[in-house]
Amino acid sequence: FILLILLSINSVSAYKWVCLTNGQSLPNASSPIYTCRHDLCQVCVTDISYPTNFNKCKDSQKCDSQIGDTDITPPILTINSPINGQVFNSRMVLISLSSNEQVSFYYKNNGDWKKIANLMSSFSREISFKDGFNSITIKAVDKNENSVEKSVSFYVDSKKPKILKTFPKDYTNGSFSIEFIEDNPKNLVLYYGIDDINYGVNQDFGIKTYSLNLSKCYYNKKYICDAKVDLSDFDGKEIVYWFKLDDIAENTQESKRKNVNADITSPKILNSDFWSQGTGKDNKNIYFNIEIEEENFAGVLYVNTVNLAKKTICSSLKDNKCIKKLSFKKGTNILNIYVTDKTGNSDSKRIEF
């Protein structure tokens, strides 16, 4: 009887067939040696569920049991690049993805899904995006159609700022301006002073800087920005100036350097009796003889506050004097006399006759 039992035990096979469905693994999902990738898989296994040569199961009934865990867990998706809110200065943006299992990667940018990788655990490649704001959705799908989606937003600014013009050309009393085209300006700095190797930035007689407030610039398809700086240290000297413009993607553009004369001293009318009126039939005539102190003379003009008439008296000087005869209509005339220099500084007097 004992012998019969032993013979019966020895006749039991240590191998068997198991049936798996798509996604089930052996010996288990956490330590897969074999994973079924079809609707149905018949596998020969040992008594501890390890796959083995199918010939060892030739005497066993097929699919006498079913083991393994069906995969219903979505993959874990990590977006390494781009980072949410990141700004790129190139349209080619690195898309770097990883997953805890093999997946197919897709992305969507205001359109249909685009497949970018098939059954990979990681993906890294540059993809072209349009300039401006981009909001994309990434999807990872595993072999059992479990999926996960994540969204990320970023900005592309591949165009360098374009500086159109700067002002002044020859003279300045501390007024500077710039016109430029840029969708996303970040920093605008004016550099001005004496460009000499013996001077450094922010030294009294070296190159100084002035940061402009972009929110105060005028904008209509292009930016127009003005700056007013103190040129006391450079009055009467030739200085150099330029602008440096940065956008949010760290694209940088500098304007051409211009040499101009700094002049913050206003012209002076030296004589108080600089005009006289004719008598008799010459009563309509006013005789001007204005002594002027100014190296960068631009002109002498008047504005009649009665009728708002405006006229140039002198556009040049002779021996630092403006000598002119002008005729006026009958009636009261109140004139504001302006002497201006090439930077816009002026001196003024009022006369009435």
Side-chain angles (χ1 to χ4, degrees):
F1 177 73
I2 296 175
L3 178 61
L4 180 61
I5 293 177
L6 292 175
L7 290 173
S8 177
I9 293 174
N10 289 335
S11 65
V12 176
S13 173
Y15 306 100
K16 59 185 176 182
W17 291 100
V18 296
C19 292
L20 305 178
T21 58
N22 188 17
Q24 289 186 312
S25 301
L26 292 170
N28 52 63
S30 60
S31 301
I33 294 177
Y34 171 82
T35 301
C36 178
R37 297 306 174 197
H38 303 281
D39 292 336
L40 179 65
C41 302
Q42 298 185 64
V43 186
C44 181
V45 298
T46 67
D47 56 358
I48 58 173
S49 299
Y50 273 79
T52 187
N53 192 305
F54 70 92
N55 287 323
K56 295 182 178 181
C57 291
K58 62 183 179 179
D59 297 328
S60 301
Q61 182 180 357
K62 289 191 174 183
C63 291
D64 62 353
S65 65
Q66 189 177 78
I67 63 173
D69 301 320
T70 301
D71 180 10
I72 60 171
T73 303
I76 299 175
L77 170 64
T78 302
I79 301 177
N80 303 305
S81 175
I83 298 172
N84 202 47
Q86 190 171 1
V87 179
F88 294 88
N89 59 15
S90 170
R91 294 185 63 184
M92 299 305 295
V93 175
L94 177 64
I95 304 297
S96 177
L97 313 170
S98 59
S99 173
N100 65 324
E101 59 179 306
Q102 288 193 331
V103 295
S104 294
F105 291 110
Y106 300 79
Y107 86 94
K108 180 170 63 175
N109 185 18
N110 298 322
D112 297 330
W113 288 107
K114 295 181 181 180
K115 190 174 185 178
I116 53 178
N118 185 47
L119 297 181
M120 302 174 65
S121 60
S122 63
F123 172 83
S124 183
R125 193 178 78 197
E126 288 186 336
I127 295 178
S128 178
F129 291 91
K130 63 180 177 64
D131 269 68
F133 179 77
N134 289 270
S135 180
I136 66 173
T137 303
I138 305 292
K139 180 168 66 173
V141 183
D142 68 16
K143 297 174 183 179
N144 296 299
E145 300 303 319
N146 301 305
S147 66
V148 62
E149 296 180 12
K150 286 187 177 182
S151 296
V152 62
S153 300
F154 55 92
Y155 207 95
V156 174
D157 186 352
S158 64
K159 300 175 182 178
K160 283 190 174 183
K162 184 177 182 181
I163 295 176
L164 302 176
K165 63 176 67 173
T166 60
F167 179 86
K169 294 182 178 180
D170 303 306
Y171 298 88
T172 182
N173 59 3
S175 295
F176 297 87
S177 67
I178 180 175
E179 294 182 17
F180 64 87
I181 296 175
E182 169 55 44
D183 291 334
N184 308 292
K186 182 181 179 181
N187 297 307
L188 178 60
V189 179
L190 168 67
Y191 292 80
Y192 65 97
I194 298 177
D195 192 6
D196 191 292
I197 59 173
N198 295 318
Y199 302 124
V201 174
N202 293 322
Q203 300 299 312
D204 286 345
F205 295 101
I207 299 297
K208 295 187 177 185
T209 61
Y210 177 82
S211 295
L212 285 79
N213 187 342
L214 289 166
S215 66
K216 295 183 178 181
C217 296
Y218 172 76
Y219 177 75
N220 183 12
K221 296 184 179 180
K222 64 181 179 180
Y223 283 87
I224 301 176
C225 304
D226 299 317
K228 180 70 174 180
V229 298
D230 182 7
L231 294 182
S232 300
D233 293 331
F234 307 107
D235 190 25
K237 299 181 177 65
E238 183 181 71
I239 64 171
V240 63
Y241 81 91
W242 71 94
F243 289 89
K244 181 182 178 184
L245 175 62
D246 300 320
D247 65 18
I248 62 173
E250 305 303 328
N251 296 309
T252 299
Q253 191 69 272
E254 289 189 5
S255 67
K256 292 182 179 179
R257 299 189 177 202
K258 289 184 179 179
N259 291 315
V260 294
N261 293 307
D263 182 0
I264 63 171
T265 303
S266 297
K268 290 182 180 180
I269 297 175
L270 299 178
N271 54 330
S272 58
D273 55 343
F274 59 84
W275 68 283
S276 62
Q277 185 174 8
T279 59
K281 64 178 181 179
D282 292 328
N283 179 257
K284 63 181 179 180
N285 295 328
I286 300 297
Y287 300 89
F288 294 97
N289 188 345
I290 309 172
E291 297 181 23
I292 298 170
E293 181 180 272
E294 175 55 52
E295 293 183 1
N296 301 313
F297 174 78
V300 180
L301 60 87
Y302 76 77
V303 175
N304 193 329
T305 61
V306 175
N307 55 22
L308 300 182
K310 180 179 179 181
K311 188 172 182 178
T312 298
I313 301 175
C314 292
S315 58
S316 62
L317 300 179
K318 183 176 181 180
D319 297 327
N320 295 322
K321 293 181 179 180
C322 169
I323 301 175
K324 191 79 171 183
K325 180 185 79 170
L326 293 177
S327 298
F328 292 85
K329 293 181 180 180
K330 185 178 180 180
T332 299
N333 294 272
I334 303 174
L335 306 185
N336 286 331
I337 310 296
Y338 298 97
V339 179
T340 62
D341 65 17
K342 293 178 180 179
T343 65
N345 302 311
S346 66
D347 188 14
S348 64
K349 301 289 183 181
R350 174 173 287 204
I351 64 174
E352 181 177 347
F353 53 89

